[in-house]
Amino acid sequence: MKGEDGEWTGMVGRLARQEADIGVANLFLTLTRQGAVDYSAPYDAEVSCFLVRTEPAVPRWLSLALPFQMSTWGAILLGVLVTGVLIYIFAIASDSCGGEAPLLRSLSFACFYASGMHFRGSFYILPSRHSTRTFICFLWIYVIIITTAYSSNLTAFLTVTHRPQGINTIRSLYSTRMEVSGLGSFFKGALASAVDPYLQGLGERFVPYQKLDLVWSRVRGGEAAYLHNKQFLEFVIATQFTERKGVASMRIMKECFAPYSIAMALQRHSPLKRKFDRVISWMLESGLVRHWFLESLRLSRKVKTKKNNEYVDETNPVNVTDRPAEDRAVQGVIPLSINHMQGVFLLFLFGNLSALLVVLLECGHHRVFFSV
């Protein structure tokens, strides 16, 4: 960076003072450094992105409600109530032409009859009038489609962990009033110079840190978003915040900003520039830059898992039956555990408690009636 005396420090300063010939780092091409050093041809491009925590998974017991959106559930509930009333109306209206089954002329039983159809329950009471039969036939078609769609979609939500969408745009990050942090003050200037007013607003609450450990604790707690270039964030996620099962506790927001070209720095008017530019063009044409980056991620994760005593030799994998059930999921069909089905058990428990409450109310009402 440039000191108060106008002199460059660090790598750029050493190149400007001709104390070094080449500077290699994740060096962005900026106009401020253009007068101090010469850049080689860009060998990569980067964007500035935000690192945020991965939203906690939705509790398993909510899986029963996830196949439909709330608006769909509201429409189905309204349909249950409306169809019960319509069955009652059809039964009452048929009194003038022969009459309908007596139980269907009860509003409470008609609603119970309609709700039972939504659970594909069969009834021994069949409508006798053609008008009611026609309505019931089309109601069965509606119920079959609704229940089939629910049961088909339910399997996916029982077996797959569902996570909320979370923050993905700069505008949504700005609306959260979350702290924006970074290593040093470089990205504070990038935010302040942006045209987007939301980026400028994020720059006003930018907090620079000198140690990443302090930043990670705040990002993990959902108190801050960390700003850095995308490849660095990908490296950090792969090596520090990805579990053995491949689940990452951090993620990169989809919307990024401020694209930069990355190059090597050379002394001003260096004779090495032409040769470096030629070699860089060869690497880009062959795809080696991206290949080396992905290879570095793989090796870094391999070293990390080995240190944590979780390394598995790819040439001699452990027996599949020795792994936990969650690890065996990738081998084929997933057996549903109690954790997957906890919503069903909770619903059954709620039904039992509701029935017990109704029994107590009925007994209390019966005693009051006979005492009077």
Side-chain angles (χ1 to χ4, degrees):
M1 60 182 297
K2 205 169 187 178
E4 297 179 356
D5 56 356
E7 296 293 329
W8 286 93
T9 60
M11 181 181 67
V12 176
R14 296 193 64 182
L15 289 169
R17 295 189 298 270
Q18 298 185 355
E19 296 175 0
D21 296 319
I22 307 169
V24 181
N26 194 34
L27 189 64
F28 294 166
L29 272 71
T30 59
L31 294 176
T32 55
R33 302 193 189 106
Q34 196 73 41
V37 297
D38 280 348
Y39 289 106
S40 68
Y43 61 84
D44 205 353
E46 268 292 3
V47 288
S48 303
C49 297
F50 297 91
L51 180 74
V52 294
R53 72 167 182 175
T54 302
E55 286 71 18
V58 175
R60 287 284 189 181
W61 61 270
L62 286 177
S63 299
L64 297 180
L66 293 178
F68 291 148
Q69 295 181 353
M70 291 302 299
S71 57
T72 307
W73 280 117
I76 293 175
L77 179 60
L78 179 62
V80 172
L81 299 176
V82 170
T83 51
V85 174
L86 288 177
I87 291 175
Y88 171 73
I89 292 176
F90 275 107
I92 294 298
S94 63
D95 284 345
S96 59
C97 52
E100 188 54 88
L103 286 176
L104 293 180
R105 284 178 287 175
S106 168
L107 179 60
S108 60
F109 184 84
C111 292
F112 181 74
Y113 189 90
S115 62
M117 292 183 64
H118 282 75
F119 290 98
R120 292 189 181 181
S122 59
F123 292 91
Y124 65 90
I125 297 176
L126 298 177
S128 58
R129 305 303 306 171
H130 293 300
S131 58
T132 312
R133 289 174 178 176
T134 303
F135 176 75
I136 294 295
C137 287
F138 283 97
L139 179 59
W140 266 118
I141 296 174
Y142 157 81
V143 168
I144 290 173
I145 295 174
I146 289 293
T147 54
T148 302
Y150 175 79
S151 58
S152 301
N153 211 14
L154 178 63
T155 305
F157 283 98
L158 287 176
T159 55
V160 178
T161 302
H162 180 71
R163 298 180 183 275
Q165 186 177 4
I167 304 172
N168 276 315
T169 63
I170 294 173
R171 183 174 182 177
S172 59
L173 177 62
Y174 175 81
S175 62
T176 62
R177 310 303 301 175
M178 188 184 297
E179 173 190 299
V180 177
S181 56
L183 192 62
S185 301
F186 173 81
F187 288 101
K188 182 177 179 64
L191 292 171
S193 60
V195 179
D196 191 338
Y198 296 109
L199 288 174
Q200 294 178 1
L202 293 177
E204 294 175 358
R205 59 177 191 250
F206 183 90
V207 179
Y209 287 86
Q210 301 303 322
K211 293 184 179 181
L212 288 177
D213 293 340
L214 301 176
V215 180
W216 299 150
S217 61
R218 294 187 62 80
V219 177
R220 189 181 291 108
E223 302 172 2
Y226 178 71
L227 177 59
H228 213 285
N229 60 289
K230 187 173 184 179
Q231 285 192 356
F232 174 78
L233 298 181
E234 290 176 344
F235 180 82
V236 169
I237 292 174
T239 57
Q240 298 187 37
F241 301 113
T242 301
E243 301 174 0
R244 183 184 178 186
K245 300 174 186 177
V247 179
S249 58
M250 302 286 185
R251 65 179 181 87
I252 300 174
M253 280 177 41
K254 292 182 178 180
E255 189 173 3
C256 301
F257 74 104
Y260 291 97
S261 295
I262 301 175
M264 292 186 292
L266 305 166
Q267 291 182 8
R268 292 282 293 169
H269 310 295
S270 173
L272 300 175
K273 175 175 167 53
R274 181 178 298 179
K275 295 183 178 181
F276 272 100
D277 290 349
R278 186 184 303 117
V279 175
I280 288 173
S281 66
W282 294 343
M283 291 192 303
L284 291 175
E285 291 170 1
S286 60
L288 286 175
V289 176
R290 184 63 181 174
H291 170 74
W292 286 334
F293 174 71
L294 296 177
E295 185 70 10
S296 65
L297 291 183
R298 187 186 69 82
L299 292 175
S300 299
R301 287 199 61 192
K302 194 173 183 179
V303 171
K304 178 192 173 185
T305 53
K306 187 174 182 179
K307 290 181 178 179
N308 294 337
N309 297 323
E310 297 178 352
Y311 172 69
V312 178
D313 188 358
E314 296 177 356
T315 62
N316 185 24
V318 296
N319 194 337
V320 174
T321 56
D322 296 334
R323 300 177 184 176
E326 291 80 2
D327 291 347
R328 298 199 303 268
V330 297
Q331 302 298 325
V333 179
I334 302 176
L336 297 180
S337 63
I338 295 180
N339 184 38
H340 292 111
M341 303 297 295
Q342 60 180 262
V344 179
F345 291 108
L346 289 176
L347 182 63
F348 181 65
L349 178 61
F350 176 77
N352 290 337
L353 294 177
S354 300
L356 179 61
L357 178 62
V358 172
V359 168
L360 295 176
L361 292 176
E362 287 180 343
C363 292
H365 179 11
H366 183 73
R367 291 176 181 175
V368 172
F369 177 79
F370 277 99
S371 63
V372 174

